[in-house]
Amino acid sequence: MLRVDGHDIHLEQGGRVQLDDSTLTLSSSSQLVHGVQLSKDQTGVTAKLSLSNLIISVFFDGNTAQILLEGPAGSSVEGLCGKSSRSLSDLRLSEYSSTSCEMQYSETADSTIDCTSVTERCDLLKEAPFSSCNTDIDPEPYITACTDTLCKYPAVDGLNCQFLKAYARACSLHNHTLDGWTSKTDCSSEAFCQDRTCSDHEFCGEKTVGGDTRCFCRDIFASKYQANNSLGDPTVCMQDSASLTLVGCLLEDKGIDYSALHLNDPTCRGQVDELTHMVTFSFNSSNSCGTVVTTNNSELIYKNTIMTQNSSSDIITRHDQVYIDFSCVQTQPDIKTATFRIRDSSVIQHITSGVWDYTLTMKAFTNVSHTQAVESSIEVQLNQKIWVELKTDGLDGDVVVVVTDSCWATDQPSPDSTPRYDLIINGCANPADQTVQVEDNGLGTSNYFSFNMFEFTRGSGEVFLHCKLHVCPKQEYSCLQ
């Protein structure tokens, strides 16, 4: 990253150059951006600027950054991250850190690498045509870096040519052309993975078949998924939606094309983030994508599946099948007690069920149109008709309904106290009390009932009303008596 006049210029993999949050389009002709001359060709990106008495050129091919300082003899500059005593392989371990190159990660060396043949390849820098440059550019630091790294790490990301290419470019700055070096080393002068941009948690490397390139997961990133044998993050449940995000490079490792995946509804596909290559599948209340709603004891389960697209005429397949279930759980409401005082107004209880919230409101009215709420200033008379509204907010009426199982009254706050007087039993009015009427029970997300007011003989002078409700999925067709 170059910081100039308060602006950040990022030279990234694949030849991409970012100015703050925007991507620049570059060519071989220099483009002046905040005093920095930027250009790009098939070998990489060059940034050139003048600073004080120095001319600074930075070249980046996606793997190696080369910095050339031109100025008066004796000029001193501070070094970049790392110390001269640290090997290049140590610095390579730090490349995943976005905050400090002093942060290192453990990475196991590949014991299958033949270090003898690696050393022979790195020693090519002392042979023709490289040898013509040895007097101007010492090859030993390049050879040391080459062997120290290639003896530990597989050359899937162009490492086998990276150090030879870096030396050839350093020689070109001293007017050494090194004719034929690419054919001798079987390397290309073009940048590895040019115009293929990987995310911060990926690196560009060669496929094992076909010689093409793709973005691979970095080990430090993939390890947390591999430890759980998963392809993505846990399900995210919101109030009216659910989503599951899979890792694009892990899918590619399995040979899975994300565009061939869908939910229960084949029209519901994954959305890929162009920067992170993460693939997100989601459903919500307006588009359920074939979500199946079931009950399991005290839970309401919303379940969907990510699966492979197959033709209905396919009898067999020779590709790995994908079948990933994900779900959100909503708990059934427990018995909730609302204190009903004849002189009081409505009472609201907020119920938290799992990660989906909804509210349950109990209100009392003195008229059939439910406009005159019971207030503290209103005296409720014995035998006066009272309408009670049980209303929810936050539930999807297309999927579930609310059923009032029972309502009863006590003269104490506890719903288990005695004496007890039943108003609603098993969803229906108490047949012994002809004043009780139940409306719209199990038809939607709200319902009502009415009764004539009473008091307990030898009671406390207060009436406590309790109701037990449950949420019922419409798909089960078991919501009505």
Side-chain angles (χ1 to χ4, degrees):
M1 181 190 74
L2 307 176
R3 178 162 292 172
V4 183
D5 295 334
H7 295 278
D8 293 336
I9 300 176
H10 295 263
L11 310 183
E12 301 180 349
Q13 294 182 50
R16 185 173 70 174
V17 178
Q18 295 278 110
L19 173 62
D20 297 329
D21 295 325
S22 61
T23 302
L24 299 179
T25 301
L26 301 177
S27 66
S28 57
S29 300
S30 293
Q31 178 179 333
L32 190 63
V33 179
H34 296 292
V36 181
Q37 291 183 338
L38 296 171
S39 61
K40 173 185 173 182
D41 59 20
Q42 71 274 14
T43 64
V45 176
T46 301
K48 190 173 184 178
L49 70 155
S50 298
L51 188 65
S52 185
N53 60 345
L54 290 174
I55 297 177
I56 305 173
S57 295
V58 179
F59 171 78
F60 186 60
D61 63 2
N63 288 304
T64 305
Q66 289 181 298
I67 302 174
L68 176 65
L69 305 178
E70 298 176 277
S75 299
S76 62
V77 294
E78 293 184 4
L80 301 179
C81 67
K83 302 174 183 178
S84 59
S85 60
R86 293 176 61 188
S87 68
L88 186 62
S89 61
D90 286 338
L91 288 177
R92 185 177 186 269
L93 295 176
S94 306
E95 66 181 5
Y96 184 70
S97 170
S98 59
T99 56
S100 168
C101 7
E102 291 300 318
M103 184 182 296
Q104 295 187 49
Y105 299 93
S106 298
E107 187 173 336
T108 305
D110 189 339
S111 59
T112 65
I113 295 176
D114 182 0
C115 193
T116 301
S117 62
V118 165
T119 303
E120 292 176 356
R121 178 172 179 79
C122 296
D123 282 342
L124 290 175
L125 292 179
K126 293 187 291 188
E127 301 177 9
F130 297 105
S131 56
S132 63
C133 179
N134 288 173
T135 55
D136 289 328
I137 304 292
D138 184 4
E140 290 302 329
Y142 292 84
I143 294 173
T144 300
C146 179
T147 55
D148 190 40
T149 303
L150 287 177
C151 282
K152 294 181 179 179
Y153 305 107
V156 294
D157 53 355
L159 277 176
N160 58 334
C161 290
Q162 179 178 333
F163 304 98
L164 307 179
K165 190 184 299 184
Y167 186 78
R169 180 166 180 84
C171 290
S172 69
L173 297 176
H174 287 74
N175 299 319
H176 292 276
T177 57
L178 305 185
D179 292 335
W181 77 268
T182 55
S183 58
K184 180 169 183 175
T185 59
D186 197 24
C187 294
S188 171
S189 60
E190 296 183 1
F192 183 74
C193 285
Q194 181 77 312
D195 295 324
R196 182 181 292 278
T197 304
C198 299
S199 67
D200 290 342
H201 60 259
E202 299 171 329
F203 69 91
C204 185
E206 292 178 327
K207 295 181 180 180
T208 55
V209 179
D212 197 6
T213 60
R214 53 157 283 218
C215 293
F216 290 85
C217 291
R218 294 186 187 274
D219 284 345
I220 192 70
F221 170 80
S223 59
K224 62 181 180 181
Y225 298 100
Q226 294 167 344
N228 300 322
N229 195 29
S230 67
L231 294 175
D233 296 315
T235 305
V236 176
C237 299
M238 306 296 286
Q239 179 166 331
D240 60 353
S241 65
S243 63
L244 179 66
T245 298
L246 304 181
V247 181
C249 52
L250 290 178
L251 291 175
E252 280 206 69
D253 287 346
K254 296 277 190 181
I256 300 171
D257 180 3
Y258 81 89
S259 64
L261 303 178
H262 60 79
L263 296 180
N264 286 340
D265 182 346
T267 64
C268 294
R269 303 279 177 156
Q271 301 297 315
V272 64
D273 186 309
E274 295 299 333
L275 292 179
T276 64
H277 300 159
M278 306 288 272
V279 185
T280 301
F281 295 83
S282 59
F283 63 86
N284 53 45
S285 57
S286 62
N287 185 6
S288 64
C289 291
T291 300
V292 178
V293 183
T294 58
T295 56
N296 180 20
N297 296 327
S298 62
E299 294 178 335
L300 201 68
I301 303 170
Y302 294 70
K303 177 181 174 183
N304 213 313
T305 303
I306 300 172
M307 63 185 72
T308 312
Q309 175 72 36
N310 285 318
S311 171
S312 58
S313 61
D314 289 344
I315 299 176
I316 66 168
T317 180
R318 288 190 170 91
H319 299 284
D320 289 337
Q321 299 297 290
V322 176
Y323 196 86
I324 303 173
D325 285 333
F326 68 107
S327 60
C328 286
V329 175
Q330 193 173 55
T331 59
Q332 295 280 7
D334 295 326
I335 295 177
K336 294 296 176 180
T337 299
T339 302
F340 183 83
R341 289 182 172 88
I342 296 175
R343 300 181 303 275
D344 237 346
S345 60
S346 61
V347 177
I348 299 176
Q349 292 285 328
H350 183 260
I351 300 176
T352 301
S353 299
V355 294
W356 280 354
D357 295 342
Y358 63 95
T359 56
L360 172 62
T361 307
M362 177 187 288
K363 289 186 178 181
F365 302 90
T366 58
N367 63 330
V368 67
S369 58
H370 304 161
T371 59
Q372 298 177 4
V374 175
E375 304 287 351
S376 59
S377 59
I378 298 177
E379 292 292 337
V380 178
Q381 302 297 325
L382 289 177
N383 207 34
Q384 180 178 357
K385 198 167 192 64
I386 299 295
W387 284 264
V388 178
E389 176 189 60
L390 296 167
K391 182 180 180 180
T392 64
D393 183 45
L395 293 178
D396 185 354
D398 293 332
V399 179
V400 298
V401 296
V402 172
V403 177
T404 300
D405 287 326
S406 56
C407 287
W408 66 98
T410 62
D411 66 349
Q412 300 295 325
S414 172
D416 300 322
S417 65
T418 57
R420 163 180 172 147
Y421 183 74
D422 291 311
L423 295 171
I424 299 176
I425 303 172
N426 292 330
C428 298
N430 182 356
D433 189 335
Q434 297 301 311
T435 72
V436 181
Q437 292 181 321
V438 181
E439 305 174 40
D440 299 335
N441 195 12
L443 298 181
T445 56
S446 300
N447 55 59
Y448 313 87
F449 71 94
S450 60
F451 67 98
N452 288 11
M453 181 52 65
F454 58 88
E455 67 178 356
F456 286 94
T457 57
R458 296 184 299 277
S460 63
E462 291 181 314
V463 173
F464 298 88
L465 186 64
H466 317 279
C467 286
K468 179 179 178 181
L469 301 87
H470 77 266
V471 178
C472 177
K474 284 185 174 182
Q475 294 175 355
E476 292 190 351
Y477 300 104
S478 61
C479 307
L480 299 178
Q481 290 282 7

